[in-house]
Amino acid sequence: MVSRVIPVEVFDLVIFGGTGDLARRKILPGLYRRFLAGQLPEGARIIGAARADFDDAGYRQFVNDAICEFVKSSRHDKAHIDEFLSRIKYLPVDALGDAGWQGLASLMRPNVIRAFYFSVAPRLFGPLAERLHDHGIADAESRIVVEKPFGRDLKSAKALNAVLAESFDEHQIYRIDHYLGKETVQNLMAVRFGNMLFEPLWNSQYVDHIQITVAESVGVGGRGSYYDKSGAIRDMVQNHLMQLLCLIAMEPPSEFEPDAVRDEKLKVIRALDAPDQQDIVRGQYRSGEDTPSYRDDAENDESTTESFIAMKLGISNWRWKGTPIYLRTGKRLRERTSEIAVVFKDPPHSIFGEQEGRRGNVLVIRLQPNEGMNLRVTIKEPGPGGMRLIEVPLDMSFAEALADGDDIPDAYERLIMDVMRGNQTLFMRGDEVEAAWAWTDPIIQAWEDARKKPVEYDPGGSGPDDSLMLLHRDGRRWREIKA
Ligand SMILES: NC(=O)c1ccc[n+]([C@@H]2O[C@H](COP(=O)([O-])OP(=O)(O)OC[C@H]3O[C@@H](n4cnc5c(N)ncnc54)[C@H](OP(=O)(O)O)[C@@H]3O)[C@@H](O)[C@H]2O)c1
């Protein structure tokens, strides 16, 4: 079922930052897996570009090592790896200088798709776009893939959009949010809009509330000084959680077409209420028995950056008015897990008596680990004990449901192939990113004005107690953070 591949045309993919961490861990191994799946057409080439002074052979060794480290060993067939490596080239190029650009221009072939992956620091996005344009390397059908973060506020995002727009049309710009490439996220749209079952119930009349949790068990160590300048709201909420929220809350688009989908997502962001400060909890992890505190990780004793955030949001439109959406994300929590839970209201009356209570259904969309969906329904407990009700899951774990669940493509693989097909549905449009920042900026500004410090929380738990209270005071509770 998963092995069916939609062919793409011959391409030249240039990975700027081809020697970096993201290329090594995600992009190159992902391309190899697509090659194994038969999706790289004959003649497709991958060209690494960075300042490091590799030749083709040296870079192929780098790619080989990346495959060996990040692709499972059952896929390490030497003949396949060698064939894949034969499509790899490397060119030293400086995004901020002249070095390498003439060489890149002459390496490009006519009549093949040209895609340029900007897997470099954001300050290089603009200079790369300009040079691609000035050296005539990009044509009208070329695509650029831009990594996150896309700006750090509305002003910088607008400036970046403007710089890119000088050299590329919007239809050529693929702003990547790898959450959108996850199988479950796309399945969310299939479940919502491909079935009659859920959509009639998908509104404030039937949905009590929605919880979106993206929990990580690791701290920020290693990238602490970078993280300290962004915090959970910039690093996670403005992009990933916002995108998930849009897909959950949007109206059905008229067709599954990039702008139709993105128009509907944009409307959700614009309908988001500005949250009350008392509906936001910011936290910072303490040190644990053998783990450093956030401030130690960030190497900043005075840091007021949040490593955890929980918020209650409202959407002012006919569908969702009155249904709160609770978001939470943080580092050093109990488990690494991401899920969306749509909690339906209780039946209006329990025919089984008050003792059995009223039980709402919960649809859980799990992004990681074990991508899948799970609908909790109420049934009678089997056996002769009278009418006792229990909740059981109707489980749809992709790994089990699909013939070769092991082959579910990683988000990056899927998204890179979408770039080659010219399909922008799962990429953020410029106006979406700006709308998300326009919503986020005043929240951050209010913290800065109030000089509010985050509350501390213990590592390995579910975040600050205040976050539990955020739901408790509404008579609700967070789902347990568990893998
Ligand atoms: N790593 C992740 O898991 C991850 C996740 C999400 C998003 N991202 C985003 O992806 C991008 C890349 O991240 P990364 O972790 O791969 O960074 P990285 O490991 O620091 O790699 C940066 C790359 O850029 C190249 N580079 C630096 N200056 C250059 C210049 N002047 N001209 C040409 N190339 C230059 C570097 O090679 P040379 O030094 O040899 O030039 C290197 O290949 C960033 O925007 C990051 O925010 C990364």
Side-chain angles (χ1 to χ4, degrees):
M1 217 182 308
V2 196
S3 57
R4 195 171 69 85
V5 291
I6 302 170
V8 297
E9 287 173 29
V10 181
F11 60 80
D12 277 342
L13 168 63
V14 179
I15 307 172
F16 292 109
T19 59
D21 178 64
L22 185 66
R24 198 172 66 86
R25 285 193 307 111
K26 291 288 181 185
I27 304 172
L28 294 163
L31 285 163
Y32 174 64
R33 281 191 292 264
R34 286 298 89 206
F35 165 76
L36 289 182
Q39 211 171 12
L40 259 56
E42 199 67 39
R45 296 188 309 179
I46 297 154
I47 302 157
R51 291 166 308 175
D53 196 20
F54 281 116
D55 55 13
D56 285 347
Y59 189 60
R60 284 175 186 157
Q61 186 59 48
F62 173 89
V63 178
N64 180 70
D65 294 348
I67 292 171
C68 290
E69 192 174 349
F70 295 105
V71 178
K72 65 180 181 183
S73 55
S74 58
R75 303 292 176 89
H76 293 179
D77 175 80
K78 184 165 178 345
H80 282 135
I81 294 183
D82 285 348
E83 199 188 330
F84 176 70
L85 293 179
S86 72
R87 291 147 180 254
I88 305 264
K89 297 187 85 58
Y90 181 83
L91 206 65
V93 176
D94 185 357
L96 296 174
D98 295 328
W101 289 97
Q102 286 302 344
L104 186 58
S106 47
L107 197 62
M108 293 280 116
R109 299 172 294 175
N111 305 323
V112 302
I113 294 167
R114 295 179 185 186
F116 304 94
Y117 199 129
F118 292 5
S119 182
V120 293
R123 68 187 169 84
L124 302 182
F125 296 165
L128 282 175
E130 276 168 26
R131 281 169 175 75
L132 284 171
H133 180 259
D134 293 349
H135 287 84
I137 298 172
D139 57 31
E141 288 311 311
S142 296
R143 291 126 213 210
I144 56 170
V145 184
V146 186
E147 262 300 333
K148 82 164 214 186
F150 199 90
R152 55 171 282 108
D153 51 22
L154 178 59
K155 190 169 166 227
S156 54
K158 275 188 167 173
L160 189 48
N161 273 335
V163 170
L164 298 182
E166 281 171 21
S167 308
F168 292 92
D169 279 345
E170 183 61 35
H171 80 272
Q172 299 177 282
I173 304 172
Y174 291 72
R175 296 174 194 80
I176 210 160
D177 183 327
H178 70 275
Y179 271 59
L180 293 182
K182 287 186 182 286
E183 184 71 23
T184 331
V185 170
Q186 294 167 70
N187 229 316
L188 176 58
M189 285 191 273
V191 165
R192 279 195 62 191
F193 305 132
N195 295 288
M196 195 56 202
L197 196 59
F198 294 108
E199 203 47 30
L201 307 179
W202 211 259
N203 56 53
S204 60
Q205 197 180 342
Y206 296 103
V207 176
D208 178 70
H209 72 283
I210 296 172
Q211 300 185 12
I212 303 180
T213 297
V214 177
E216 291 179 65
S217 52
V218 295
V220 300
R223 59 180 203 122
S225 55
Y226 158 78
Y227 187 93
D228 204 38
K229 293 187 202 76
S230 77
I233 193 162
R234 287 193 172 98
D235 195 46
M236 297 298 295
V237 176
Q238 184 273 343
N239 39 52
H240 305 316
L241 276 83
M242 182 76 80
Q243 289 296 318
L244 299 181
L245 170 61
C246 286
L247 294 177
I248 275 281
M250 73 182 188
E251 295 300 316
S254 56
E255 52 188 333
F256 192 59
E257 188 271 331
D259 277 329
V261 172
R262 297 185 300 175
D263 285 347
E264 295 305 334
K265 284 165 58 198
L266 180 60
K267 284 184 207 161
V268 174
I269 304 176
R270 293 198 170 142
L272 269 181
D273 299 337
D276 211 314
Q277 283 298 321
Q278 66 183 24
D279 289 338
I280 304 177
V281 176
R282 300 168 68 226
Q284 231 181 37
Y285 57 83
R286 295 191 180 95
S287 58
E289 260 175 40
D290 46 15
T291 54
S293 68
Y294 172 81
R295 289 181 175 192
D296 286 343
D297 273 343
E299 295 174 5
N300 179 0
D301 288 344
E302 305 289 314
S303 174
T304 56
T305 302
E306 76 287 347
S307 59
F308 174 98
I309 186 165
M311 34 193 355
K312 174 183 172 183
L313 306 181
I315 302 176
S316 281
N317 63 21
W318 277 41
R319 185 187 284 264
W320 292 117
K321 192 74 188 172
T323 295
I325 322 267
Y326 300 95
L327 308 183
R328 110 186 120 158
T329 180
K331 305 277 184 194
R332 273 249 203 280
L333 299 176
R334 186 173 300 125
E335 300 277 0
R336 177 171 183 255
T337 171
S338 303
E339 65 165 43
I340 303 167
V342 180
V343 182
F344 290 90
K345 291 186 175 170
D346 293 345
H349 164 67
S350 170
I351 64 166
F352 304 108
E354 281 311 305
Q355 216 181 344
E356 284 298 350
R358 299 173 185 161
R359 296 152 194 262
N361 303 109
V362 183
L363 176 69
V364 178
I365 299 123
R366 236 181 6 249
L367 275 68
Q368 66 188 17
N370 311 323
E371 283 194 63
M373 295 195 193
N374 166 320
L375 176 66
R376 294 197 75 83
V377 291
T378 300
I379 62 161
K380 176 189 167 298
E381 188 176 37
M387 189 53 114
R388 282 208 307 268
L389 305 184
I390 54 167
E391 285 174 358
V392 292
L394 289 181
D395 204 353
M396 189 181 119
S397 155
F398 296 145
E400 286 163 20
L402 302 176
D404 187 3
D406 231 14
D407 266 353
I408 296 172
D410 171 66
Y412 277 95
E413 302 172 35
R414 174 189 310 274
L415 292 172
I416 293 171
M417 288 301 121
D418 278 355
V419 173
M420 300 313 168
R421 280 194 287 270
N423 186 339
Q424 290 183 304
T425 309
L426 299 173
F427 295 84
M428 293 178 295
R429 211 169 51 192
D431 52 1
E432 257 184 276
V433 178
E434 289 184 13
W437 280 122
W439 178 82
T440 314
D441 274 2
I443 300 174
I444 299 174
Q445 190 60 53
W447 299 337
E448 286 176 0
D449 292 348
R451 295 174 184 273
K452 219 175 153 197
K453 289 185 185 159
V455 290
E456 287 194 317
Y457 60 94
D458 290 331
S462 45
D465 290 346
D466 292 7
S467 152
L468 306 181
M469 286 306 297
L470 186 67
L471 271 74
H472 191 66
R473 65 175 201 224
D474 293 344
R476 302 184 174 105
R477 56 202 295 196
W478 285 111
R479 285 171 49 80
E480 201 182 327
I481 294 181
K482 61 176 182 198

